[in-house]
Amino acid sequence: MATWVGVGSSRQPDSFQAGCEAAVKALDSMGQPYPDLILVFASTRFDQETLLAGIVSVTRGAPLVGCSTAGEVLAAGPRRRSVVVMAIRSDSLKVATGIGLRVSDDPRQAGQEVAAQVSKARLASPHAFLMFPDGLSANGAEVIRGAQDVLGLSFPIAGGSAADDFGFNRTFQYYQGEVYTNSVAGVLLAGPILVGIGARHGWKPLGKPRRVTKAAANIVREMDHRSAANLYETYFGSPSSPLKLESLTDMSIVYPLGMPIPGEEEYLLRNVLKVDRDGSVVYAGEMPQGAEVRLMMGSKARALEAAQRAAEQAALELAPRTARFGLVFSSCSRARLFGRMLDQEIAAIRQALGETTPLAGFYDYGEQAPLSAAGFRGRSYFHNETLVVVAVSAT
Amino acid sequence: MTSGMKLIIGASLLMLLLIAWSESALLRVAYGLFMVLIGGYLLTNLDALRRQMAGYQEQIDRVNLICDELDQNTKIIVQTDLELTRTQESLDKKIAGLYVLHELSREILAVRTVENLCRVVTEAVVTRLGFERSILCLVAADHPGRPRIAATSGFEPEEARKLNLSGLIEMVRNPVLNPGESLFFVPEEGQAPASRVGPAAGVRCFAVVPIALNNQPSGFLLTGNNPPYPRLETGDVELLSILASEVGVAAENLELYEALKRSHDELEERVKERTAELARANEELTRLNKMKSDFVSAVSHELRTPLTSIKGYASLVRAGKLGAVTKDQGERLEKIGRHTDYLSNLISDLLDIARIESGRVGMEIRKVDLARVADTVSDLLMPQLKEKNLTLKVEVPSKLPVLQADESRLQRVLINLLSNAIRFTPADGVITVSAAPGPEFLQINVIDTGLGIAPADLPKLFTEFFRADNPVNRERKGTGLGLTLVKRIVEAHGGKIWVNSVPGKGSTFSFTLPWQPPLKPAMGVP
């Protein structure tokens, strides 16, 4: 029983060459010619079809899932405008891949679809489901519910939502050799392995609790019976300089809203995607009517500490075994919050999972992870501004 | 309070029970009195209760007030924190920008073409300085409306293809290209873009900084962002201006480098051609030289046979074997004999040189006793020495390492050198032959006290058929091959020969011989 993992990346300007280079490097560092699973995370600066053609020309028929990003993660540190390919070959880890289409029409059904496809393989002892939904058109929470309809409410679901380099225009999902949009790609990890998941953000609640009084899906119209944008004006605005709508998105990176979840230590965070002229606010995740919300405050130091704890949590769940490889799904908001210090987040993960453990991942538009993952009894939620670390131990 | 209330309620229930049982008036009166008492008690208590309730309400209000105050404090905290975060972000951005600039200026040094330079810089503006889009364009010097070299980054391939660079150049001509100022535009919320540059490049806010080549604005660096990328700030323009000036210097250097490389390549090509020509000429010369040697050797062979007959018959006639010879006839016959000797010497020298040159003859390398060779040679030359009353000193150390050489040829070298010395040394002179052993070579010197050689003649001394113009040579005939042959033999041994001379004082001919000649003797050096 053995498991081989290799990671390759490329910053070549040409899409086909970049795909080839990253795939060749991944297979080279894996040291095996035929991978069982290929994960691809790539910038939208590449021509997506050409890029995948380049990768597939090297990996041939190996199962492939992935998505477009707002930055990529390697063990060596963060990357921008590159492609990262992780290749896995294992005697113990078994995988099943799937895709759910048209998430904007019916996110729950798309979630059911992708979960049903991966369940069809009837793999023995499934451990976790990784999924990569469209980060712009999908209601991530509904997609998760769809997957939970099939896999069970407490089945661990982790992953990140596809991004497009802060363009907020169109994101892409990869499934086998094809490029999809408005979809959700997923892979089920099964077999005699262990999967540890840690998810944390580090933000703390501040100020009075507010109640969402009028909302639909991820659009909040009123909070405490006043326009939703009013909440931010209370905190940020001053009479001399009225709040500009454009800068609100920016501020919500450091000051998102938090929803307490019963029995959980950390709040569920929600970023502002945009503010409409009538004062209603569009969030990067579902905000149910009647929910209690609070303004949250974060700092680089707390976010870094949270990264450390998330990675430690993931590693702890594998104990006494150690991680064979790790996956990192971090919010694009975190990437912007950390700025120049972004490599420290990855350094913290590296420290917890082992300096030589292969890492791959990306900066996303939303995360999926169980909140208190201990013993896999936690239910998976859709997060913002959170770091999700998935550690896999396979013999 | 609650226990009191319970007591009252319990008591009134008991009273009600008693009334139900007995119907006496007294009891009813008592009951009435009791109810009045209870009413009074309740009234006073209710008042206290109300007061207590009011106290609670007050407390709740106070907590609410504190909560609101705290919320106000939150506002202050948030605003302070926001300010701090922004300051830190802009500081971070500046530091990061400077850091990237520093890194980039080092990377630029390694770039070898202007095209690559433009590509590296635009990529870095997007991937490392964190802007959304960037265009770097250098205009053609002879056609200022047309882009010469351009690179873009942050555009979708489709967008990059659609980009109208010539149009952009026209839009930024004033004031970026002429007179060379930067353009900076950040629209306010809801404000329509005032410049056509933004829509043309697909960015909401942008900065265009000029790139100067040889102090002449010859291109521009356009950098722009759309939301949610942050709005450009004046600090960004400063950073980009620094970058643009570095790009200008680097592009200038690269152009100089390219020109230099081109001329260097051209030169190298020409040198190559010339070398090939020379090699061809050299080949031709070698071939001709070989032909000459072959010819000389063939002719010499052909000449030698009849010459031997002539010499033989002449000496027969002179010896009187074919009848008496008169004195006059004898003199003429002697002349014939002398001239045939001269001719045959010339031919054998020519043959020797030709053989050595063509490499046809190997040398017989053996152990040589230098002292013995010197003795033999001095014996051979004794008549001439005596004739002019010359002294020959042979100074060869008795214990010399073993010398490996071709003995007969070495003898020839010494004979030729000593004959020359004898010829050019006036009567009663001294000729010295000395040997000086070195670590690798043995040096032999032949020193005379003769006429010496004119400095102008020194370089030509060892060339074929050269004869210095002096009284001795004018009087006596020579082949002009003696020293040439000496040089060939010494060189064939792997040695060197040279001469030092002071006109009127004498000459010293020196040559070296390696103790062990190279395995393949350097014969036939063309």
Side-chain angles (χ1 to χ4, degrees), chain B residues 184-308:
Chain B
F184 176 47
F185 180 74
V186 179
E188 286 303 312
E189 180 76 29
Q191 187 190 339
S195 161
R196 288 177 301 151
V197 179
V203 285
R204 185 157 167 78
C205 54
F206 61 86
V208 188
V209 290
I211 292 172
L213 288 180
N214 308 314
N215 293 326
Q216 186 64 40
S218 315
F220 62 87
L221 173 66
L222 185 151
T223 308
N225 281 356
N226 286 315
Y229 276 81
R231 296 143 65 88
L232 264 68
E233 290 156 20
T234 40
D236 295 329
V237 183
E238 282 162 28
L239 190 75
L240 291 168
S241 297
I242 300 173
L243 181 62
S245 65
E246 265 192 43
V247 169
V249 173
E252 248 173 61
N253 286 345
L254 280 179
E255 272 172 6
L256 283 178
Y257 170 82
E258 271 167 20
L260 203 69
K261 189 165 183 328
R262 256 198 312 281
S263 67
H264 173 87
D265 286 352
E266 258 169 43
L267 213 64
E268 199 151 84
E269 195 52 40
R270 269 184 10 219
V271 167
K272 237 185 240 166
E273 271 170 32
R274 204 42 77 74
T275 314
E277 267 170 36
L278 283 175
R280 274 196 300 279
N282 194 27
E283 244 168 56
E284 181 65 16
L285 277 178
T286 315
R287 199 178 61 81
L288 286 177
N289 194 39
K290 183 153 186 309
M291 256 171 80
K292 180 208 78 181
S293 299
D294 289 350
F295 174 73
V296 166
S297 113
V299 168
S300 308
H301 268 294
E302 292 306 311
L303 282 175
R304 207 191 224 167
T305 326
L307 205 61
T308 319

Side-chain angles (χ1 to χ4, degrees), chain A residues 72-119:
Chain A
E72 301 77 37
V73 174
L74 283 174
R79 293 278 183 278
R80 284 289 320 267
R81 310 176 60 70
S82 75
V83 48
V84 169
V85 172
M86 180 180 248
I88 305 164
R89 154 112 181 74
S90 174
D91 299 331
S92 50
L93 170 70
K94 298 284 171 252
V95 298
T97 56
I99 182 113
L101 306 175
R102 289 183 297 279
V103 282
S104 60
D105 295 354
D106 191 342
R108 190 156 185 160
Q109 198 193 329
Q112 290 167 350
E113 209 176 294
V114 65
Q117 278 177 45
V118 300
S119 309

Side-chain angles (χ1 to χ4, degrees), chain B residues 1-301:
Chain B
M1 195 250 344
T2 39
S3 58
M5 287 287 269
K6 275 177 189 162
L7 205 73
I8 291 165
I9 291 164
S12 33
L13 279 175
L14 199 73
M15 287 304 275
L16 212 63
L17 214 69
L18 284 172
I19 290 167
W21 266 331
S22 82
E23 289 179 354
S24 93
L26 189 70
L27 266 174
R28 288 183 183 209
V29 170
Y31 174 67
L33 266 172
F34 182 72
M35 287 310 270
V36 168
L37 266 172
I38 284 179
Y41 175 78
L42 275 181
L43 270 175
T44 47
N45 252 307
L46 209 66
D47 197 38
L49 205 68
R50 199 177 291 126
R51 270 205 304 280
Q52 217 166 359
M53 287 288 277
Y56 284 130
Q57 188 57 48
E58 211 172 286
Q59 269 184 25
I60 288 173
D61 285 352
R62 256 187 51 213
V63 168
N64 260 336
L65 201 71
I66 289 171
C67 205
D68 279 340
E69 266 174 24
L70 278 178
D71 210 46
Q72 290 299 312
N73 290 348
T74 303
K75 190 174 159 183
I76 295 168
I77 292 172
V78 164
Q79 281 177 357
T80 318
D81 188 63
L82 189 68
E83 212 176 298
L84 259 173
T85 310
R86 284 203 174 136
T87 316
Q88 200 188 340
E89 261 172 10
S90 71
L91 209 65
D92 263 13
K93 203 164 125 187
K94 266 201 184 129
I95 295 171
L98 287 176
Y99 184 74
V100 169
L101 218 58
H102 169 73
E103 232 180 12
L104 201 60
S105 54
R106 263 190 318 181
E107 274 167 45
I108 285 176
L109 286 180
V111 173
R112 283 283 166 266
T113 63
V114 181
E115 284 84 353
N116 268 346
L117 173 76
C118 295
R119 197 178 53 73
V120 166
V121 169
T122 49
E123 280 277 316
V125 166
V126 172
T127 54
R128 287 194 267 173
L129 288 176
F131 295 101
E132 188 189 355
R133 293 181 163 184
S134 115
I135 304 171
L136 201 164
C137 178
L138 297 179
V139 296
D142 48 346
H143 215 295
R146 207 175 284 162
R148 179 165 63 99
I149 295 166
T152 62
S153 191
F155 289 84
E156 300 274 337
E158 188 61 29
E159 284 176 304
R161 266 194 293 279
K162 278 190 200 152
L163 211 57
N164 178 4
L165 281 173
S166 305
L168 257 182
I169 292 173
E170 281 318 309
M171 286 176 206
V172 302
R173 179 167 304 285
N174 192 13
V176 176
L177 292 179
N178 195 10
E181 289 162 11
S182 49
L183 193 66
F184 176 47
F185 180 74
V186 179
E188 286 303 312
E189 180 76 29
Q191 187 190 339
S195 161
R196 288 177 301 151
V197 179
V203 285
R204 185 157 167 78
C205 54
F206 61 86
V208 188
V209 290
I211 292 172
L213 288 180
N214 308 314
N215 293 326
Q216 186 64 40
S218 315
F220 62 87
L221 173 66
L222 185 151
T223 308
N225 281 356
N226 286 315
Y229 276 81
R231 296 143 65 88
L232 264 68
E233 290 156 20
T234 40
D236 295 329
V237 183
E238 282 162 28
L239 190 75
L240 291 168
S241 297
I242 300 173
L243 181 62
S245 65
E246 265 192 43
V247 169
V249 173
E252 248 173 61
N253 286 345
L254 280 179
E255 272 172 6
L256 283 178
Y257 170 82
E258 271 167 20
L260 203 69
K261 189 165 183 328
R262 256 198 312 281
S263 67
H264 173 87
D265 286 352
E266 258 169 43
L267 213 64
E268 199 151 84
E269 195 52 40
R270 269 184 10 219
V271 167
K272 237 185 240 166
E273 271 170 32
R274 204 42 77 74
T275 314
E277 267 170 36
L278 283 175
R280 274 196 300 279
N282 194 27
E283 244 168 56
E284 181 65 16
L285 277 178
T286 315
R287 199 178 61 81
L288 286 177
N289 194 39
K290 183 153 186 309
M291 256 171 80
K292 180 208 78 181
S293 299
D294 289 350
F295 174 73
V296 166
S297 113
V299 168
S300 308
H301 268 294

Side-chain angles (χ1 to χ4, degrees), chain A residues 15-264:
Chain A
S15 303
F16 190 85
Q17 277 175 16
C20 282
E21 188 185 50
V24 165
K25 278 188 191 164
L27 291 195
D28 269 2
S29 66
M30 180 175 71
Q32 289 282 319
Y34 303 109
D36 292 334
L37 178 65
I38 298 288
L39 295 174
V40 179
F41 307 119
S43 159
T44 44
R45 87 168 163 94
F46 295 112
D47 181 68
Q48 305 283 305
E49 273 88 6
T50 318
L51 176 81
L52 270 206
I55 295 171
V56 171
S57 75
V58 177
T59 64
R60 278 164 294 213
L64 181 154
V65 287
C67 63
S68 58
T69 67
E72 301 77 37
V73 174
L74 283 174
R79 293 278 183 278
R80 284 289 320 267
R81 310 176 60 70
S82 75
V83 48
V84 169
V85 172
M86 180 180 248
I88 305 164
R89 154 112 181 74
S90 174
D91 299 331
S92 50
L93 170 70
K94 298 284 171 252
V95 298
T97 56
I99 182 113
L101 306 175
R102 289 183 297 279
V103 282
S104 60
D105 295 354
D106 191 342
R108 190 156 185 160
Q109 198 193 329
Q112 290 167 350
E113 209 176 294
V114 65
Q117 278 177 45
V118 300
S119 309
K120 234 176 11 200
R122 297 195 178 285
L123 296 178
S125 62
H127 280 275
F129 179 55
L130 301 181
M131 67 174 201
F132 311 107
D134 192 308
L136 295 172
S137 67
N139 176 349
E142 275 291 296
V143 181
I144 292 181
R145 273 193 279 275
Q148 282 166 343
D149 289 343
V150 177
L151 299 169
L153 202 58
S154 65
F155 190 78
I157 296 173
S161 297
D164 66 344
D165 285 326
F166 298 96
F168 298 104
N169 194 14
R170 197 153 69 115
T171 74
F172 303 95
Q173 296 75 46
Y174 314 138
Y175 174 61
Q176 312 307 32
E178 302 289 321
V179 177
Y180 295 81
T181 185
N182 192 22
S183 303
V184 49
V187 55
L188 185 73
L189 306 181
I193 57 167
L194 286 179
V195 178
I197 302 174
R200 284 204 170 264
H201 49 72
W203 268 251
K204 296 278 177 247
L206 196 73
K208 273 207 306 203
R210 317 269 165 166
R211 196 162 292 280
V212 178
T213 45
K214 199 169 171 195
N218 63 338
I219 303 166
V220 177
R221 297 195 193 287
E222 283 178 18
M223 264 185 271
D224 284 352
H225 303 289
R226 295 163 76 182
S227 88
N230 188 268
L231 169 75
Y232 295 95
E233 265 159 31
T234 337
Y235 288 118
F236 300 114
S238 59
S240 57
S241 62
L243 190 65
K244 285 185 192 112
L245 295 183
E246 205 173 90
S247 56
L248 208 151
T249 334
D250 215 39
M251 278 188 283
S252 79
I253 289 174
V254 195
Y255 311 98
L257 283 195
M259 289 192 283
I261 302 281
E264 299 287 354

Side-chain angles (χ1 to χ4, degrees), chain B residues 66 94 166 193 224 319 326 353 411 420 438 521:
Chain B
I66 289 171
K94 266 201 184 129
S166 305
T326 63
I353 291 173
Q411 207 168 316
N420 277 351

Side-chain angles (χ1 to χ4, degrees), chain B residues 72 81 193 351 368 474:
Chain B
Q72 290 299 312
D81 188 63
L351 263 176
V368 172
R474 255 170 264 142

Side-chain angles (χ1 to χ4, degrees), chain B residues 362-398:
Chain B
M363 292 195 299
E364 291 172 41
I365 303 292
R366 259 178 312 195
K367 225 163 83 177
V368 172
D369 184 350
L370 188 65
R372 202 163 55 80
V373 173
D375 280 350
T376 318
V377 172
S378 63
D379 280 352
L380 270 170
L381 297 174
M382 202 45 80
Q384 283 106 302
L385 286 166
K386 278 207 174 130
E387 199 180 306
K388 291 177 89 173
N389 196 24
L390 299 173
T391 318
L392 176 68
K393 286 194 205 160
V394 178
E395 293 170 357
V396 176
S398 53

Side-chain angles (χ1 to χ4, degrees), chain A residues 2-17:
Chain A
T3 297
W4 298 267
V5 182
V7 181
S9 80
S10 174
R11 279 202 266 210
Q12 291 257 4
D14 181 84
S15 303
F16 190 85
Q17 277 175 16

